[in-house]
Amino acid sequence: MEPLDERPQIGMIAVETSVLAQNGIELDVMLTELNVELRGAMPTDTPRLGWRVLTSVNGEVATIGAPTDDDGQWWRLGQIRPSQGEPGPRLLALHPTLQRRRPSIRDRAGGLSLRWPAVTREAPDLDLLAIDIVNAGGERWLPQGDSFMVFAALRQPGGPAPGVYFGYVAGQYPALPLDPGEYARVRVVIDAGQWDDAHAGPYEVHAFLVDLGLRGADVLPVELTDHDVQSHLPRRPLPPPPAR
C-alpha cells in the first residue's frame, strides 16, 4: 500500500494508483451493490461508466468517482453519507464541480524547501513571522492547485515533536511559479490554540507548508515573555454580572 503522500490525488483526495487504473463499473450497478440512493440532481456531464470506490472509512465506502475524459484527468466524485431520519439506504451526493487528477503531494513538493530569512532569525516578530519558500531544485516549479499557506507550531527545546491543528479558507496564499533559486516570502501563522499551554521561556518555532506536507528543516528559536503569551491567548467573553 502506498503511503498517503505518495498517492496521486483527485482534488484533495489521495487515491491508490491501482484504483485509478481500474476500468470501473456502471453507476447504477454500483448504487445497487452498495445499497445507496442518489440525493439531488445529477449533473448533465456525469459519466454512466467507470465508477469505482476511491476511499473507505471504517470499512464503509465513503467516496466514489469516475473519470469524465479519456485521459482520466478530470473526475466526477460522490460522497456517501448515512440516511437522515428513518433507517434506510445510505445517500450519494455528487460533487457539483469536476475535480482534477494531480500528482502526489511528494511529487508536487519536489524541489521546494523552507528557509527562515535573516530578518526573521535576527529579530523574530511573533505577529509577523516570515519564511521563504525556496525552489532549491534544478527545474522550474509550477503550482498544481496548491497554496503557499504556512502554519507553525511551538515546542520547548527537547520536547515531543509538535503537531499543527489548523483551519483556513481555500484560495488564501495561492502558490506561484518559481524558477530555480527563486523564492516566495510568505507570512507564517501560529494557530491560536498553540498558546494555551505556552509559558515564558525558550521555545522553537516549527514551520509547515500545509498543502504540500513540507516541514522546515530548521527551527526558529524564540524567547517567549509573559506578555507574549497573554497577548496571544484567545479572547474569552467576560462573565455575566451576578444575579441580583
Side-chain angles (χ1 to χ4, degrees), residues 33-34 52 98 101 110 143 148 160 177 187 192 230 232 234 236:
E33 291 183 353
L34 298 176
R52 76 288 311 269
L98 297 180
R101 176 175 173 171
F148 274 170
R187 184 174 179 176
Q230 293 301 317
H232 288 91
R236 294 176 172 81

Side-chain angles (χ1 to χ4, degrees), residues 113-117 119-120 125 127-134 147-152 172-176 178 183-189 207-210:
S113 63
L114 298 179
R115 176 186 67 195
W116 295 108
V119 66
T120 299
D125 183 339
D127 293 313
L128 290 173
L129 289 178
I131 200 166
D132 295 340
I133 302 173
V134 185
S147 80
F148 274 170
M149 189 70 177
V150 179
F151 277 80
Q172 291 183 335
Y173 299 87
L176 303 172
L178 296 173
Y183 67 90
R185 182 161 295 176
V186 300
R187 184 174 179 176
V188 179
V189 178
F208 303 83
L209 178 53
V210 178

Side-chain angles (χ1 to χ4, degrees), residues 80-170:
I80 298 177
R81 299 182 176 90
S83 61
Q84 299 176 349
E86 296 291 333
R90 294 193 300 158
L91 303 176
L92 169 67
L94 294 175
H95 200 286
T97 59
L98 297 180
Q99 301 296 304
R100 188 172 186 174
R101 176 175 173 171
R102 302 191 293 169
S104 69
I105 289 178
R106 179 171 294 185
D107 287 340
R108 299 201 311 273
L112 296 185
S113 63
L114 298 179
R115 176 186 67 195
W116 295 108
V119 66
T120 299
R121 287 185 282 105
E122 294 171 4
D125 183 339
L126 295 173
D127 293 313
L128 290 173
L129 289 178
I131 200 166
D132 295 340
I133 302 173
V134 185
N135 181 0
E139 299 179 355
R140 175 174 293 172
W141 184 88
L142 298 173
Q144 299 188 60
D146 297 301
S147 80
F148 274 170
M149 189 70 177
V150 179
F151 277 80
L154 298 172
R155 186 185 79 167
Q156 290 181 281
V164 177
Y165 303 94
F166 54 84
Y168 68 101
V169 178

